Amino acid sequence: MTMEQTCYQIMAEVIKRDALNRFHRVHLLAPEIARNVQPGQFVCIFLDDGDSLKLGTSLGVRFIMPRPFSVSDVEGDEIEIAFSVVGAGTAAMAQLKVGDSVRLLGPLGKPFSWCDGHDVALLVGGGMGYAPLPFLSKVLVRMGVDVVAIVGAKSFDELPVRVTNRCVLEVGDVHLAADEFAKHGVPSAIALEQPHADAFCGTAVDLTLSWLKANEHRKVAVYACGPKEMLKCLQRILIERAIYGQFSIEERMACGLGLCFGCACKVVECGKECYKLACVDGPVFDAHMLAL
Amino acid sequence: MELGSKVPKVDLSVQVGKLTLRTPIILASGCCGYGFELLRVNDFPWEDVGALVLKSITVKPRVGKPPPRVAEVTAGMLNAIGVQNEGIGAFMERIAPRLAELPCAVIASIIGTTKEEYAVLANALNGCSGIAAIEVNISSPNIERGGIEFGVDPKAAGEVTELVRRNWNGDVWVKLSPNAHDIALIAQSCSDAGADILVLTNTVPAMGLDVRSFPPKPLLGAVVGGLSGPAIKPIVLRKVYEAVRRLRQIGAKAQVVASGGIWRAQDIVEYLSVGATAVQVGTLLLHDVHAPRKLRTGLEEYALWVHKLMNDEKWLRISSYIGCALGACEP
């Protein structure tokens, strides 16, 4: 179905900007994408301006490849992108000001899906990997699904979310939640590896395990995005406990459309290892099939 | 422009072998999937695309290279995809019957690990009505056996070309490697063996390292791969020039299609000027899916400028530009 979804290339204006340490949020005016995008889907941002092909103009060749970003929220005709500065591309994006325009391609990729028969959706975000989850939580809540979320980071300063004491998930001795989920009425909890008075001390996976143990009577579906190591540990837990899950993964991309076969990720299908494309077969995959 | 005067129309069509293309812009193999992937792009400029070349097909399925398969480098992109495809059987069953849906001419690309495999592939494609020509890939740097091996040896290049010629009824395009010691000789050898079109060139064998970790780590999962994008254009331009000169010297009828780093219309003008009949666009399409329209607009602007400068109707025809700089390039 996603293969046939129309995707748009547009120039999108920056409507709103904010930053917290090296973590940034950009609101882009992208009506065609905002109206059609589903949780888990992404957009490609191209940093060269749209005129670089014109005769006689300077040749913009600094950023040949797109930067893919999950959509972290949708408000009317605007989409929200959250990112951290990790290289030259995201550093350039961090310079974007309100009124600037960027070239966008989207919506792209296969979205998350809800599987009937589950009691609760547990959303697990590792660091910046939390990005696709607030939009997912909003849509699931609208569908009447019970949703809870966990966000993990190394330290308080490394937290990509805004903390709040509203809507805190009851687990361990946690008093901090993420505003990105609280604003959708979704209880969440913060896990930090470096001890902090109000957060769970440990990784997002550790906290997930505690929550799962306390909720063994419920049929849980896990939705996660984060570093490969985190997904690996989480996958082991899901397999051991026969829990259904979907992971959103990240790969370097060159087109976002399945044209170049550049964003391969290994999966196990019918007992055999093969490569799928993160851009069209993913970025959301059945958690059990990924060869992490 | 005076009031009431009309902007003259530019004729962008070119004749490439038996094919008449509405524009000289061809989508390069490996950068446009199987064509269908572009059907979902809103407002995709099909009217500006002369033809597209499908992703290379092999006899047996290939899983491809480990990730990361692509990486950005200065003014270019590295790739080591490794010809991931499901093989000729799956292609004939699932993709071939749908090719007629595509709104432009379709060229199939084949790659063999042995010479005989090229013959097998060419022969199988005779059964596919949606294919206008075969592009013989003897230049992929991302396949363990075959591919580039044949593209750097004039004798082997000629033998592969001849095998395809004998097993395929349509035009034979041969895609050459910039790594050939003497590309003019390879071009001559393929032309003598019956190639109709020579495509210059595939990616330039290359690699890169990420120094943000230590010791620095290869950018590609396969360690080495091919370089594409604006960085390679001046290199490929020279290859095209050398091949065209040789083909003209020996009076060969084979034409040259240029492929390498086209980023704006003036790159196309340069390639046509040294004798390319058409061009292929790959990395640019990945970078901007609307690129064919922007390139076409740029070409029209250029032709209108030359038409005014030279005051001659012939410069409104893009085909007039083919080889127009060869005189000025005589040493």
Side-chain angles (χ1 to χ4, degrees):
Chain A
M1 186 198 93
T2 322
M3 278 300 287
E4 271 68 48
Q5 184 184 28
T6 302
C7 83
Y8 301 85
Q9 176 168 274
I10 55 166
M11 291 303 291
E13 195 188 326
V14 177
I15 298 291
K16 206 161 92 187
R17 282 283 285 118
D18 62 66
L20 175 80
N21 301 326
R22 61 186 180 95
F23 302 105
H24 296 260
R25 280 196 291 202
V26 181
H27 278 240
L28 296 161
L29 183 63
E32 299 88 341
I33 296 172
R35 281 173 211 151
N36 296 294
V37 69
Q38 296 168 61
Q41 287 190 300
F42 67 96
V43 294
C44 276
I45 294 189
F46 296 88
L47 293 161
D48 282 339
D49 64 51
D51 284 336
S52 64
L53 292 163
K54 269 198 179 166
L55 264 170
T57 58
S58 66
L59 191 55
V61 296
R62 223 180 130 205
F63 303 110
I64 302 271
M65 284 163 55
R67 269 58 178 176
F69 296 96
S70 302
V71 172
S72 54
D73 206 357
V74 174
E75 282 170 31
D77 285 344
E78 296 171 23
I79 58 167
E80 184 192 276
I81 303 297
F83 64 94
S84 58
V85 176
V86 290
T90 41
M93 281 181 61
Q95 302 299 314
L96 287 172
K97 297 181 295 291
V98 169
D100 289 347
S101 285
V102 290
R103 186 154 54 84
L104 269 191
L105 184 70
L108 300 167
K110 209 178 88 202
F112 288 114
S113 57
W114 174 248
C115 209
D116 280 333
H118 292 89
D119 303 327
V120 57
L122 169 62
L123 281 43
V124 186
M128 204 54 238
Y130 91 89
L133 303 177
F135 182 30
L136 172 65
S137 74
K138 177 159 103 175
V139 170
L140 288 176
V141 165
R142 257 194 229 144
M143 290 164 62
V145 175
D146 197 2
V147 188
V148 300
I150 285 168
V151 177
K154 286 220 155 57
S155 66
F156 191 82
D157 290 339
E158 288 287 299
L159 254 184
V161 292
R162 267 80 177 148
V163 291
T164 175
N165 48 21
R166 285 189 303 130
C167 231
V168 183
L169 177 65
E170 277 185 41
V171 59
D173 193 22
V174 178
H175 306 289
L176 283 183
D179 191 49
E180 284 75 0
F181 295 103
K183 73 175 183 183
H184 301 308
V186 170
S188 63
I190 305 284
L192 298 174
E193 288 175 57
Q194 224 172 65
H196 184 283
D198 296 321
F200 176 86
C201 184
T203 64
V205 177
D206 297 334
L207 185 53
T208 299
L209 197 55
S210 313
W211 187 88
L212 286 172
K213 282 177 179 163
N215 288 271
E216 265 174 344
H217 56 289
R218 306 175 80 182
K219 196 150 187 245
V220 186
V222 172
Y223 297 85
C225 181
K228 206 162 250 179
E229 272 313 304
M230 176 194 111
L231 295 179
K232 226 177 188 167
C233 296
L234 203 52
Q235 186 187 48
R236 211 172 304 135
I237 293 171
L238 299 192
I239 291 169
E240 277 166 15
R241 296 175 161 253
I243 294 171
Y244 176 75
Q246 293 178 6
F247 291 171
S248 173
I249 57 123
E250 196 174 22
E251 279 297 338
R252 247 184 249 154
M253 277 181 197
C255 70
L257 289 163
L259 302 175
C260 71
F261 286 58
C263 56
C265 54
K266 205 183 261 178
V267 301
V268 179
E269 214 173 30
C270 310
K272 237 177 83 182
E273 279 191 347
C274 64
Y275 289 114
K276 293 271 180 194
L277 302 181
C279 71
V280 288
D281 301 317
V284 174
F285 288 95
D286 181 320
H288 293 257
M289 80 185 288
L290 282 167
L292 292 161
Chain B
M1 185 87 33
E2 287 164 39
L3 271 178
S5 65
K6 270 169 56 187
V7 181
K9 201 171 156 31
V10 177
D11 176 7
L12 289 156
S13 67
V14 289
Q15 186 74 33
V16 183
K18 290 193 212 50
L19 278 175
T20 305
L21 307 183
R22 57 197 171 220
T23 78
I25 302 164
I26 300 167
L27 308 184
S29 179
C31 295
C32 57
Y34 297 101
F36 306 111
E37 295 87 345
L38 290 165
L39 293 173
R40 64 182 278 238
V41 177
N42 179 58
D43 203 20
F44 183 77
W46 287 108
E47 64 282 7
D48 302 319
V49 174
L52 66 81
V53 189
L54 304 175
K55 187 169 173 55
S56 292
I57 311 158
T58 52
V59 170
K60 290 191 192 122
R62 283 179 60 88
V63 291
K65 299 283 189 187
R69 290 176 169 183
V70 287
E72 194 171 76
V73 292
T74 307
M77 190 179 105
L78 295 173
N79 90 76
I81 311 293
V83 203
Q84 179 182 341
N85 81 109
E86 293 186 40
I88 185 72
F91 174 84
M92 291 305 287
E93 196 180 308
R94 290 204 286 276
I95 296 164
R98 291 184 56 203
L99 291 174
E101 290 171 34
L102 293 172
C104 71
V106 176
I107 295 143
S109 168
I110 58 170
I111 183 163
T113 55
T114 61
K115 289 171 195 162
E116 292 68 34
E117 281 189 358
Y118 283 97
V120 169
L121 289 161
N123 197 30
L125 289 171
N126 279 315
C128 178
S129 61
I131 288 169
I134 286 182
E135 183 176 278
V136 186
N137 182 348
I138 52 167
S139 43
S140 169
N142 296 323
I143 185 159
E144 307 71 37
R145 291 174 53 231
I148 199 168
E149 262 181 59
F150 303 124
V152 293
D153 174 1
K155 187 166 166 277
E159 286 167 1
V160 170
T161 305
E162 203 188 334
L163 272 172
V164 176
R165 170 80 289 156
R166 270 196 271 136
N167 284 280
W168 165 251
N169 300 323
D171 279 354
V172 175
W173 299 30
V174 184
K175 191 164 186 175
L176 306 188
S177 168
N179 249 29
H181 169 66
D182 179 355
I183 201 153
L185 188 61
I186 305 270
Q188 183 177 349
S189 175
C190 294
S191 168
D192 290 346
D196 301 287
I197 312 294
L198 300 160
V199 182
L200 278 69
T201 64
N202 208 313
T203 55
V204 178
M207 72 184 288
L209 296 169
D210 184 352
V211 296
R212 287 177 299 183
S213 58
F214 197 85
K217 241 178 24 202
L219 286 173
L220 296 172
V223 183
V224 296
L227 175 66
S228 65
I232 73 167
K233 200 215 74 191
I235 299 170
V236 177
L237 187 65
R238 177 174 170 168
K239 303 286 174 194
V240 169
Y241 168 64
E242 288 174 353
V244 167
R245 278 188 69 194
R246 176 68 58 85
L247 293 170
R248 290 192 177 205
Q249 275 164 9
I250 62 169
K253 68 168 188 31
Q255 294 169 299
V256 170
V257 167
S259 173
I262 285 171
W263 218 248
R264 25 174 204 179
Q266 64 203 61
D267 298 328
I268 301 181
V269 174
E270 284 187 72
Y271 277 129
L272 296 184
S273 301
V274 297
T277 305
V279 296
Q280 294 189 354
V281 175
T283 309
L284 178 62
L285 184 76
L286 309 178
H287 174 76
D288 182 350
V289 83
H290 287 162
R293 177 175 304 134
K294 295 170 184 173
L295 291 173
R296 189 259 298 155
T297 311
L299 271 183
E300 285 175 346
E301 278 171 20
Y302 187 81
L304 290 172
W305 175 72
V306 176
H307 169 240
K308 209 172 155 195
L309 184 77
M310 306 301 285
N311 197 22
D312 186 342
E313 292 290 307
K314 88 172 203 187
W315 299 110
L316 291 174
R317 290 188 302 275
I318 284 297
S319 56
S320 306
Y321 292 77
I322 300 167
C324 70
L326 285 172
C329 292
E330 278 306 313

